[in-house]
Amino acid sequence: MFRSSLALVLCLIGLSRAAEVKRVEREIPLHGLDSASIELHLGAAQLDIRTHDGEPLVSMQLDVVVTDANGEDWEPTIHFSTSSRVGHLILSSGEDDEEGYSILGSRKNKDHWVLSFSRSLPIDLDVAYGLGPGQVELGGMQLHHLSFATGLSEVAISFDTPCQGEMDEMELATGLGSMEVRGLANVWMKQLSFVGGLGSATLAFDGHYRTNVDVSLDVGMGSLALKVPEDVGVKMRHDDSFLSNHDFTRLERISEDTWYSDNWQAGPGNLDFDLSVGMGSVELNWVEP
């Protein structure tokens, strides 16, 4: 009886310690910077990203469980440096090594990270997000390059207002989770690439068109829904496979592997899709402009 009670007390002490939460608040100034690169490596957490005008470059409010499953204390890694008026920020939920943000690590916590990025200078943004629900609003930013990769996360990414400047490339990837991206036409980009694993994704190309976009889509065993305004021209290149499933409603097949919409080159913009599908499915949905 004594041993059972002692074990229960020790268990409760361990649970109490494991639940210890610390709030980390920090701001990274943008004064003296012409541009910045931001790397975010996040394991298991709830993620909220928003934007603001002016200072600071990044505002952080991180609620983190500071004791891991082994009873060892830790804190997120925040490393900022500057070189030739370019700011470099690395923000990681793990240790200092490259594997620190793996969702297969020893820590079994779910933190809550709230980040706000400045819209006042060009930024390269690279996000690796393992597990958790995410709400990401990047409208109005000056994004030169965006890479956003998820594992088991359920992420909604939006561009509710037109971004500033031109983006070289947007890279999106999802594993077993889900990803929804809205307002893609509000990003003035040359190229978009998407890689999907076993999860599901929705890419909505609504917004204000300023250029044509080359879109590379690689779908494994998951599903992908494309939402395209009815007045936008579409070209689709895809090699048929008996293992894959696709629905290209309102597109006319003009060769073995190519489909066109009847308004190609006649609308406010064009989307040139290059599609590869394994055992997954792709559906094209037309929406009102």
Side-chain angles (χ1 to χ4, degrees):
M1 179 68 178
F2 174 76
R3 291 182 178 178
S4 298
S5 300
L6 179 59
L8 177 60
V9 170
L10 292 176
C11 180
L12 291 175
I13 292 174
L15 289 175
S16 175
R17 179 167 173 76
E20 182 182 352
V21 176
K22 177 179 180 179
R23 171 162 291 184
V24 178
E25 294 183 310
R26 184 170 173 184
E27 293 184 346
I28 305 296
L30 62 76
H31 179 71
L33 299 179
D34 293 332
S35 62
S37 67
I38 299 173
E39 295 182 36
L40 173 59
H41 302 159
L42 185 56
Q46 178 180 340
L47 175 65
D48 292 296
I49 295 180
R50 57 199 65 165
T51 64
H52 63 267
D53 291 320
E55 290 278 5
L57 171 63
V58 183
S59 173
M60 313 175 199
Q61 179 180 292
L62 315 179
D63 291 326
V64 297
V65 179
V66 295
T67 304
D68 68 14
N70 297 322
E72 298 179 356
D73 293 336
W74 72 280
E75 289 191 14
T77 299
I78 304 173
H79 179 73
F80 179 70
S81 62
T82 61
S83 176
S84 302
R85 299 182 64 87
V86 179
H88 304 276
L89 173 65
I90 299 177
L91 179 58
S92 172
S93 64
E95 295 77 15
D96 291 331
D97 63 336
E98 293 181 356
E99 300 301 323
Y101 59 89
S102 172
I103 64 173
L104 300 179
S106 61
R107 293 185 299 104
K108 302 297 183 182
N109 63 73
K110 295 198 70 173
D111 306 337
H112 186 192
W113 291 38
V114 179
L115 307 173
S116 184
F117 300 142
S118 179
R119 295 186 288 260
S120 299
L121 79 172
I123 291 176
D124 288 350
L125 179 59
D126 186 346
V127 180
Y129 183 23
L131 173 65
Q135 294 289 331
V136 179
E137 163 54 32
L138 301 176
M141 288 189 68
Q142 300 182 51
L143 287 170
H144 183 257
H145 181 271
L146 173 64
S147 175
F148 206 112
T150 68
L152 287 168
S153 306
E154 298 179 357
V155 180
I157 305 171
S158 59
F159 301 89
D160 288 343
T161 58
C163 288
Q164 307 175 59
E166 185 175 4
M167 180 187 296
D168 281 341
E169 184 179 11
M170 181 186 299
E171 298 175 287
L172 304 172
T174 184
L176 293 170
S178 65
M179 175 183 289
E180 180 181 4
V181 189
R182 304 185 305 270
L184 281 168
N186 282 330
V187 184
W188 188 9
M189 58 183 160
K190 300 176 182 177
Q191 184 171 350
L192 166 65
S193 64
F194 169 83
V195 177
L198 291 170
S200 63
T202 298
L203 303 180
F205 292 87
D206 54 317
H208 178 67
Y209 278 82
R210 291 176 287 179
T211 185
N212 301 331
V213 184
D214 292 330
V215 184
S216 174
L217 306 172
D218 188 345
V219 181
M221 298 179 65
S223 63
L224 173 63
L226 305 172
K227 295 185 178 181
V228 178
E230 294 176 329
D231 59 347
V232 172
V234 168
K235 177 182 178 181
M236 183 75 70
R237 285 188 297 272
H238 169 55
D239 291 327
D240 275 334
S241 168
F242 72 93
L243 295 175
S244 63
N245 181 34
H246 61 77
D247 182 2
F248 300 153
T249 304
R250 293 175 48 184
L251 295 186
E252 181 181 357
R253 189 169 191 166
I254 57 96
S255 68
E256 183 178 354
D257 62 355
T258 305
W259 290 255
Y260 280 92
S261 64
D262 57 8
N263 63 338
W264 175 254
Q265 302 288 10
N270 298 290
L271 297 172
D272 192 339
F273 291 103
D274 192 343
L275 173 63
S276 175
V277 184
M279 298 178 64
S281 64
V282 176
E283 182 178 358
L284 174 61
N285 299 306
W286 297 95
V287 298
E288 294 185 1

